[in-house]
Amino acid sequence: MPPLRGDLEVLRVLRDRRGTRPGDRGDPHRVALVVGGGGMRGAYVAGMLHALDRAGLRDGVDEVYGSSSGAVSAASFLTGRADAGAAAFPEDLASPAFIDLRRLGTRRPAVSLDHLVDGVLDGTKPLPWEVLRDSPVPLHVVATDAADLTPHVLTALDTVDDWRRGLRATAAIPLLTGPPVQHAGRRWVDGSVGEPLATARALRGGATHVLVLVCRPEAELHGDVDAGPSLWARALDRAVPGLGSLAQGARRYGADLRLVTDAAHPGRGPGHLLALGPVRSVGIGALSTDARRVADAVAVGDESARAAVASRA
């Protein structure tokens, strides 16, 4: 059994909705999929999305929220390219072309958004941008305003170029990818800086059932989610706003997951919430370039989602 936490009613509704589409439902529910980011740890989630797509559960979702690499994988999922989104992690992203910390201090970014968007999404694993733009199931891309580090859903994603810019914005890691991404008159950085998991946002938007995909195994979540940011993280945020927050991902993911696991959480309300995480760790981090380990993470994510779908709980 994979680490499913929360209300299994969410899975039941998704199973019952197989073969339906928005506007053609037989139930009153609004089902949201929340896809967490985490750099190369997103390989776990990409594997989950591929498994959910093969199981026919993509048709049961009414809206998707994604931050950072989770938004990129969600775009592949929504456009029927979850297979390519999963394959991209070991085949295209676990490489120095994408991540090379030796480029720090040079004119080239240590993490290349050009490689992600131009080389992969417009190249080796082409994303059908027009399908994403016109999708009846909206993708709400979460990014962080560089001015005050508050999270927002990006608006004015009206053209293919807007969508390219939006996915760059949500994946713009402070310092490592270069300057913030300009969009709609503001400067944006990685969505996980302000909101690793947009579960509360999905509930505020009217979702009755929320499936949350988590890119960190249980063993990699911080045990003390109330401790607040560490001294070194606060110092890092002062030097490079947002980078310290990203570095505290284990703690912040744990805090966000409390909304799912605590039935008395004040932000929960009547919603049905279920979180799915990797069944085990393969030992990768946000900046991993070991293609074998990254491929293992995709496989673990796939295995975790398949087991969840097959469970009859």
Side-chain angles (χ1 to χ4, degrees), residues 168-203:
R168 282 177 178 266
T170 190
I173 304 171
L175 179 67
L176 299 183
T177 59
V181 174
Q182 299 272 355
H183 175 70
R186 299 165 88 170
R187 300 164 64 251
W188 303 98
V189 295
D190 196 297
S192 292
V193 170
E195 194 167 83
L197 296 171
T199 312
R201 186 180 296 275
L203 291 173

Side-chain angles (χ1 to χ4, degrees), residues 10 15 17 23 41 49 105 146 152 165 209 213 222 231 234 240 274 287-288 291 302 305-306:
V10 176
R15 291 190 193 110
R17 282 182 160 198
R41 289 190 184 94
L49 288 170
H152 303 267
R165 193 160 47 248
H209 295 68
L213 303 186
H222 197 285
L231 290 175
R234 289 199 294 266
V240 183
L274 179 67
L287 301 176
S288 292
D302 190 298
R306 281 188 289 111

Side-chain angles (χ1 to χ4, degrees), residues 5-14 29-34 199 202-203 206-212 259-261 268-275:
R5 287 175 287 179
D7 191 343
L8 295 173
E9 170 72 4
V10 176
L11 267 183
R12 187 194 66 77
V13 169
L14 282 170
H29 312 309
R30 184 171 183 83
V31 179
L33 176 65
V34 171
T199 312
L203 291 173
T208 60
H209 295 68
V210 184
L211 176 61
V212 184
L259 181 61
V260 176
T261 59
R268 181 166 181 158
H272 300 270
L273 307 178
L274 179 67

Side-chain angles (χ1 to χ4, degrees), residues 69-118:
S69 62
V72 178
S73 294
S76 295
F77 173 75
L78 276 181
T79 57
R81 296 285 285 151
D83 56 345
F89 276 88
E91 294 177 7
D92 303 285
L93 301 179
S95 75
F98 183 48
I99 300 171
D100 191 344
L101 296 182
R102 292 173 300 181
R103 295 195 292 260
L104 278 171
T106 72
R107 294 178 179 271
R108 300 173 61 202
V111 179
S112 174
L113 295 181
D114 286 346
H115 178 73
L116 171 64
V117 177
D118 301 335

